Short mmCIF file of all heavy atoms in Angstrom, two decimals:
data_model
loop_
_atom_site.label_atom_id
_atom_site.label_comp_id
_atom_site.label_asym_id
_atom_site.label_seq_id
_atom_site.Cartn_x
_atom_site.Cartn_y
_atom_site.Cartn_z
N LEU N 235 -11.82 7.34 2.07
CA LEU N 235 -11.47 7.95 0.79
C LEU N 235 -12.46 9.01 0.36
O LEU N 235 -12.12 9.91 -0.40
CB LEU N 235 -11.38 6.87 -0.31
CG LEU N 235 -10.08 6.07 -0.32
CD1 LEU N 235 -10.13 5.00 -1.38
CD2 LEU N 235 -8.90 6.99 -0.57
N ASP N 238 -13.57 14.64 2.99
CA ASP N 238 -13.11 15.87 2.35
C ASP N 238 -11.59 16.02 2.41
O ASP N 238 -10.98 16.54 1.49
CB ASP N 238 -13.76 17.09 3.02
CG ASP N 238 -15.17 17.32 2.50
OD1 ASP N 238 -15.58 16.57 1.60
OD2 ASP N 238 -15.85 18.25 2.98
N TYR N 239 -10.99 15.57 3.53
CA TYR N 239 -9.55 15.82 3.62
C TYR N 239 -8.76 15.00 2.62
O TYR N 239 -7.67 15.39 2.22
CB TYR N 239 -9.02 15.64 5.05
CG TYR N 239 -9.33 14.33 5.74
CD1 TYR N 239 -8.63 13.17 5.42
CD2 TYR N 239 -10.31 14.26 6.71
CE1 TYR N 239 -8.90 11.99 6.07
CE2 TYR N 239 -10.59 13.08 7.36
CZ TYR N 239 -9.89 11.94 7.04
OH TYR N 239 -10.15 10.76 7.67
N MET N 241 -9.98 14.34 -0.41
CA MET N 241 -10.20 15.09 -1.64
C MET N 241 -9.31 16.32 -1.68
O MET N 241 -8.71 16.65 -2.70
CB MET N 241 -11.67 15.50 -1.70
CG MET N 241 -12.20 15.66 -3.12
SD MET N 241 -13.74 16.56 -3.10
CE MET N 241 -14.90 15.24 -3.03
N MET N 242 -9.19 16.97 -0.52
CA MET N 242 -8.35 18.16 -0.46
C MET N 242 -6.89 17.79 -0.69
O MET N 242 -6.17 18.53 -1.37
CB MET N 242 -8.51 18.85 0.90
CG MET N 242 -7.57 20.02 1.08
SD MET N 242 -8.30 21.32 2.09
CE MET N 242 -6.84 22.16 2.66
N GLU N 244 -5.80 15.46 -2.51
CA GLU N 244 -5.65 15.25 -3.94
C GLU N 244 -5.60 16.59 -4.67
O GLU N 244 -4.80 16.79 -5.57
CB GLU N 244 -6.81 14.41 -4.46
CG GLU N 244 -6.35 13.11 -5.06
CD GLU N 244 -7.53 12.32 -5.57
OE1 GLU N 244 -8.20 11.68 -4.73
OE2 GLU N 244 -7.77 12.36 -6.78
N ALA N 245 -6.48 17.50 -4.24
CA ALA N 245 -6.52 18.83 -4.87
C ALA N 245 -5.20 19.56 -4.67
O ALA N 245 -4.82 20.40 -5.47
CB ALA N 245 -7.67 19.64 -4.30
N LYS N 246 -4.51 19.24 -3.56
CA LYS N 246 -3.24 19.89 -3.28
C LYS N 246 -2.15 19.44 -4.24
O LYS N 246 -1.05 19.98 -4.22
CB LYS N 246 -2.79 19.57 -1.84
CG LYS N 246 -3.36 20.49 -0.79
CD LYS N 246 -3.40 19.81 0.56
CE LYS N 246 -2.27 20.20 1.46
NZ LYS N 246 -2.43 19.62 2.81
N GLY N 247 -2.44 18.43 -5.03
CA GLY N 247 -1.43 17.95 -5.97
C GLY N 247 -0.36 17.11 -5.30
O GLY N 247 0.75 17.00 -5.79
N LEU N 248 -0.70 16.51 -4.15
CA LEU N 248 0.28 15.65 -3.47
C LEU N 248 0.46 14.37 -4.28
O LEU N 248 -0.44 13.94 -4.98
CB LEU N 248 -0.21 15.29 -2.07
CG LEU N 248 -0.47 16.45 -1.11
CD1 LEU N 248 -0.97 15.91 0.21
CD2 LEU N 248 0.81 17.25 -0.91
N ARG N 252 1.42 9.61 -1.11
CA ARG N 252 1.25 10.37 0.12
C ARG N 252 -0.24 10.48 0.48
O ARG N 252 -0.62 10.36 1.63
CB ARG N 252 1.86 11.76 -0.03
CG ARG N 252 1.94 12.45 1.30
CD ARG N 252 2.78 13.72 1.25
NE ARG N 252 2.59 14.47 2.48
CZ ARG N 252 3.27 14.27 3.59
NH1 ARG N 252 4.22 13.38 3.61
NH2 ARG N 252 3.01 14.97 4.68
N ASN N 256 -0.56 8.75 3.94
CA ASN N 256 -0.61 9.74 5.03
C ASN N 256 -2.00 10.28 5.30
O ASN N 256 -2.31 10.67 6.41
CB ASN N 256 0.31 10.92 4.71
CG ASN N 256 1.75 10.53 4.76
OD1 ASN N 256 2.11 9.48 4.24
ND2 ASN N 256 2.57 11.34 5.38
N TYR N 257 -2.83 10.34 4.28
CA TYR N 257 -4.15 10.92 4.49
C TYR N 257 -5.20 9.83 4.67
O TYR N 257 -5.90 9.78 5.68
CB TYR N 257 -4.51 11.86 3.34
CG TYR N 257 -3.83 13.20 3.47
CD1 TYR N 257 -2.49 13.35 3.13
CD2 TYR N 257 -4.50 14.30 3.97
CE1 TYR N 257 -1.83 14.57 3.27
CE2 TYR N 257 -3.86 15.53 4.11
CZ TYR N 257 -2.54 15.65 3.76
OH TYR N 257 -1.91 16.86 3.91
N ARG N 260 -3.68 6.27 6.93
CA ARG N 260 -3.34 6.67 8.29
C ARG N 260 -4.59 6.81 9.15
O ARG N 260 -4.61 6.45 10.32
CB ARG N 260 -2.57 7.98 8.19
CG ARG N 260 -2.13 8.60 9.46
CD ARG N 260 -1.06 7.79 10.15
NE ARG N 260 -1.09 8.12 11.56
CZ ARG N 260 -0.60 9.23 12.07
NH1 ARG N 260 0.02 10.08 11.29
NH2 ARG N 260 -0.69 9.49 13.34
N ASN N 261 -5.65 7.34 8.58
CA ASN N 261 -6.89 7.49 9.33
C ASN N 261 -7.70 6.19 9.36
O ASN N 261 -8.34 5.88 10.35
CB ASN N 261 -7.75 8.61 8.73
CG ASN N 261 -7.26 9.97 9.16
OD1 ASN N 261 -7.45 10.36 10.30
ND2 ASN N 261 -6.60 10.67 8.26
N LEU N 264 -6.77 3.40 12.14
CA LEU N 264 -7.01 3.52 13.58
C LEU N 264 -7.91 2.42 14.16
O LEU N 264 -7.53 1.80 15.15
CB LEU N 264 -7.55 4.91 13.91
CG LEU N 264 -6.54 6.04 13.66
CD1 LEU N 264 -7.17 7.41 13.89
CD2 LEU N 264 -5.32 5.88 14.55
N LEU N 334 -0.68 7.95 17.95
CA LEU N 334 -1.16 7.97 16.56
C LEU N 334 -2.39 8.85 16.36
O LEU N 334 -2.59 9.40 15.30
CB LEU N 334 -1.48 6.55 16.09
CG LEU N 334 -0.26 5.67 15.85
CD1 LEU N 334 -0.67 4.24 15.63
CD2 LEU N 334 0.55 6.18 14.68
N PRO N 336 -4.03 12.04 17.79
CA PRO N 336 -3.89 13.16 18.72
C PRO N 336 -5.18 13.48 19.46
O PRO N 336 -5.16 14.06 20.53
CB PRO N 336 -3.48 14.31 17.83
CG PRO N 336 -3.88 13.92 16.46
CD PRO N 336 -3.77 12.44 16.42
N ARG N 337 -6.34 13.08 18.91
CA ARG N 337 -7.60 13.44 19.54
C ARG N 337 -7.80 12.75 20.88
O ARG N 337 -8.50 13.23 21.74
CB ARG N 337 -8.77 13.09 18.61
CG ARG N 337 -8.92 14.08 17.49
CD ARG N 337 -9.85 13.56 16.43
NE ARG N 337 -9.31 12.36 15.80
CZ ARG N 337 -9.87 11.80 14.74
NH1 ARG N 337 -10.96 12.28 14.24
NH2 ARG N 337 -9.33 10.73 14.19
N ARG N 339 -5.55 12.25 23.13
CA ARG N 339 -4.66 12.79 24.15
C ARG N 339 -5.37 13.64 25.17
O ARG N 339 -5.07 13.62 26.35
CB ARG N 339 -3.57 13.63 23.49
CG ARG N 339 -2.40 12.78 23.07
CD ARG N 339 -1.42 13.57 22.24
NE ARG N 339 -1.12 12.84 21.04
CZ ARG N 339 -0.36 13.31 20.07
NH1 ARG N 339 0.14 14.51 20.14
NH2 ARG N 339 -0.13 12.57 19.01
N GLN G 94 -15.36 20.84 -8.46
CA GLN G 94 -14.51 19.66 -8.39
C GLN G 94 -14.04 19.23 -9.77
O GLN G 94 -12.96 18.65 -9.91
CB GLN G 94 -15.26 18.52 -7.69
CG GLN G 94 -15.40 18.82 -6.20
CD GLN G 94 -16.35 17.87 -5.50
OE1 GLN G 94 -16.67 16.80 -6.02
NE2 GLN G 94 -16.82 18.27 -4.33
N ASN G 127 -1.08 17.06 -11.35
CA ASN G 127 -0.59 17.27 -10.00
C ASN G 127 0.21 18.55 -9.88
O ASN G 127 0.21 19.18 -8.83
CB ASN G 127 0.26 16.08 -9.54
CG ASN G 127 -0.59 15.06 -8.80
OD1 ASN G 127 -1.75 15.32 -8.51
ND2 ASN G 127 -0.02 13.91 -8.53
N ARG G 130 -2.57 21.45 -10.01
CA ARG G 130 -3.37 21.57 -8.80
C ARG G 130 -2.63 22.36 -7.73
O ARG G 130 -1.44 22.17 -7.53
CB ARG G 130 -3.68 20.18 -8.23
CG ARG G 130 -4.69 19.40 -9.04
CD ARG G 130 -4.70 17.97 -8.58
NE ARG G 130 -5.81 17.23 -9.17
CZ ARG G 130 -5.90 15.90 -9.11
NH1 ARG G 130 -4.96 15.20 -8.51
NH2 ARG G 130 -6.94 15.29 -9.64
N TRP G 131 -3.37 23.22 -7.05
CA TRP G 131 -2.89 24.05 -5.93
C TRP G 131 -1.94 25.15 -6.37
O TRP G 131 -1.96 26.23 -5.85
CB TRP G 131 -2.23 23.19 -4.84
CG TRP G 131 -2.72 23.57 -3.46
CD1 TRP G 131 -2.02 24.22 -2.50
CD2 TRP G 131 -4.03 23.35 -2.94
NE1 TRP G 131 -2.81 24.41 -1.39
CE2 TRP G 131 -4.05 23.89 -1.63
CE3 TRP G 131 -5.20 22.77 -3.44
CZ2 TRP G 131 -5.19 23.86 -0.83
CZ3 TRP G 131 -6.32 22.72 -2.64
CH2 TRP G 131 -6.29 23.25 -1.35
N PHE G 138 -12.64 24.02 1.00
CA PHE G 138 -13.82 23.16 1.00
C PHE G 138 -14.86 23.63 2.00
O PHE G 138 -14.58 24.43 2.89
CB PHE G 138 -13.42 21.72 1.31
CG PHE G 138 -12.70 21.06 0.17
CD1 PHE G 138 -11.35 21.29 -0.04
CD2 PHE G 138 -13.38 20.21 -0.68
CE1 PHE G 138 -10.69 20.69 -1.08
CE2 PHE G 138 -12.71 19.61 -1.73
CZ PHE G 138 -11.36 19.85 -1.92
N ASN G 143 -13.96 18.76 8.24
CA ASN G 143 -13.73 17.56 7.44
C ASN G 143 -12.64 17.72 6.41
O ASN G 143 -12.20 16.74 5.83
CB ASN G 143 -15.02 17.16 6.73
CG ASN G 143 -16.13 16.91 7.72
OD1 ASN G 143 -15.86 16.63 8.89
ND2 ASN G 143 -17.36 17.03 7.27
N SER G 144 -12.21 18.94 6.13
CA SER G 144 -11.21 19.06 5.08
C SER G 144 -9.80 19.10 5.64
O SER G 144 -8.84 19.19 4.89
CB SER G 144 -11.49 20.25 4.17
OG SER G 144 -11.69 21.41 4.90
N LEU G 145 -9.67 19.04 6.97
CA LEU G 145 -8.33 18.92 7.54
C LEU G 145 -8.12 17.48 8.01
O LEU G 145 -9.02 16.87 8.60
CB LEU G 145 -8.18 19.89 8.71
CG LEU G 145 -8.15 21.37 8.34
CD1 LEU G 145 -8.23 22.24 9.58
CD2 LEU G 145 -6.90 21.70 7.54
N ASN G 146 -6.93 16.99 7.75
CA ASN G 146 -6.59 15.63 8.18
C ASN G 146 -6.45 15.60 9.70
O ASN G 146 -5.59 16.29 10.25
CB ASN G 146 -5.27 15.23 7.51
CG ASN G 146 -4.89 13.79 7.80
OD1 ASN G 146 -5.47 13.15 8.66
ND2 ASN G 146 -3.91 13.29 7.06
N PRO G 147 -7.30 14.84 10.41
CA PRO G 147 -7.29 14.90 11.87
C PRO G 147 -6.00 14.42 12.52
O PRO G 147 -5.74 14.76 13.66
CB PRO G 147 -8.47 14.00 12.27
CG PRO G 147 -8.79 13.18 11.09
CD PRO G 147 -8.34 13.95 9.89
N VAL G 148 -5.19 13.67 11.81
CA VAL G 148 -3.98 13.13 12.45
C VAL G 148 -2.71 13.85 12.03
O VAL G 148 -1.62 13.38 12.30
CB VAL G 148 -3.83 11.61 12.21
CG1 VAL G 148 -5.01 10.86 12.79
CG2 VAL G 148 -3.68 11.31 10.74
N MET G 149 -2.85 15.00 11.37
CA MET G 149 -1.64 15.76 11.01
C MET G 149 -1.76 17.18 11.56
O MET G 149 -2.85 17.74 11.61
CB MET G 149 -1.51 15.84 9.48
CG MET G 149 -0.76 14.68 8.85
SD MET G 149 -0.86 14.75 7.05
CE MET G 149 0.34 16.00 6.69
N GLN G 154 0.28 20.11 7.30
CA GLN G 154 -0.64 20.12 6.17
C GLN G 154 -0.40 21.31 5.25
O GLN G 154 -0.79 21.30 4.09
CB GLN G 154 -2.09 20.12 6.68
CG GLN G 154 -2.39 18.82 7.42
CD GLN G 154 -3.85 18.66 7.78
OE1 GLN G 154 -4.72 18.68 6.92
NE2 GLN G 154 -4.13 18.48 9.05
N ASP G 157 3.30 20.24 3.47
CA ASP G 157 3.31 19.19 2.46
C ASP G 157 2.77 19.70 1.13
O ASP G 157 3.19 19.26 0.06
CB ASP G 157 2.67 17.87 2.93
CG ASP G 157 1.16 17.90 2.98
OD1 ASP G 157 0.57 18.99 2.82
OD2 ASP G 157 0.57 16.82 3.17
N ALA G 158 1.86 20.69 1.19
CA ALA G 158 1.39 21.30 -0.05
C ALA G 158 2.54 22.07 -0.73
O ALA G 158 2.75 21.99 -1.94
CB ALA G 158 0.23 22.24 0.21
N ALA G 161 5.24 19.64 -2.07
CA ALA G 161 4.84 18.83 -3.23
C ALA G 161 5.11 19.59 -4.52
O ALA G 161 5.19 19.00 -5.59
CB ALA G 161 3.36 18.46 -3.13
N HIS G 162 5.24 20.91 -4.42
CA HIS G 162 5.39 21.71 -5.64
C HIS G 162 6.73 22.41 -5.75
O HIS G 162 7.15 22.75 -6.84
CB HIS G 162 4.27 22.75 -5.70
CG HIS G 162 2.91 22.16 -5.89
ND1 HIS G 162 2.38 21.91 -7.12
CD2 HIS G 162 2.00 21.73 -4.99
CE1 HIS G 162 1.18 21.36 -6.97
NE2 HIS G 162 0.92 21.24 -5.70
N TYR G 191 -3.24 20.37 16.29
CA TYR G 191 -4.03 19.47 15.44
C TYR G 191 -5.39 20.11 15.23
O TYR G 191 -5.84 20.93 16.04
CB TYR G 191 -4.18 18.11 16.14
CG TYR G 191 -2.90 17.33 16.13
CD1 TYR G 191 -2.00 17.41 17.19
CD2 TYR G 191 -2.58 16.51 15.05
CE1 TYR G 191 -0.81 16.71 17.18
CE2 TYR G 191 -1.39 15.80 15.04
CZ TYR G 191 -0.51 15.89 16.10
OH TYR G 191 0.65 15.20 16.09
N HIS G 193 -8.39 19.31 15.75
CA HIS G 193 -9.41 19.28 16.79
C HIS G 193 -9.12 20.26 17.92
O HIS G 193 -9.96 20.49 18.77
CB HIS G 193 -9.56 17.86 17.36
CG HIS G 193 -8.41 17.45 18.23
ND1 HIS G 193 -7.23 16.98 17.71
CD2 HIS G 193 -8.26 17.46 19.57
CE1 HIS G 193 -6.40 16.71 18.71
NE2 HIS G 193 -6.99 16.98 19.84
N ILE G 207 -3.84 27.13 4.01
CA ILE G 207 -3.34 26.06 3.15
C ILE G 207 -3.59 26.42 1.69
O ILE G 207 -2.74 26.24 0.82
CB ILE G 207 -4.00 24.71 3.50
CG1 ILE G 207 -3.68 24.32 4.94
CG2 ILE G 207 -3.53 23.62 2.54
CD1 ILE G 207 -4.40 23.06 5.42
#
Side-chain angles (χ1 to χ4, degrees):
Chain N
L235 280 177
D238 280 357
Y239 54 77
M241 208 195 267
M242 175 147 158
E244 241 180 281
K246 274 155 100 174
L248 300 179
R252 191 169 169 87
N256 291 44
Y257 282 77
R260 179 69 203 283
N261 281 287
L264 293 175
L334 288 170
R337 284 167 296 187
R339 274 172 230 175
Chain G
Q94 289 169 17
N127 267 352
R130 287 168 170 168
W131 227 251
F138 288 80
N143 302 337
S144 51
L145 291 171
N146 185 348
V148 299
M149 272 172 79
Q154 296 188 57
D157 76 350
H162 293 271
Y191 287 92
H193 73 279
I207 299 175

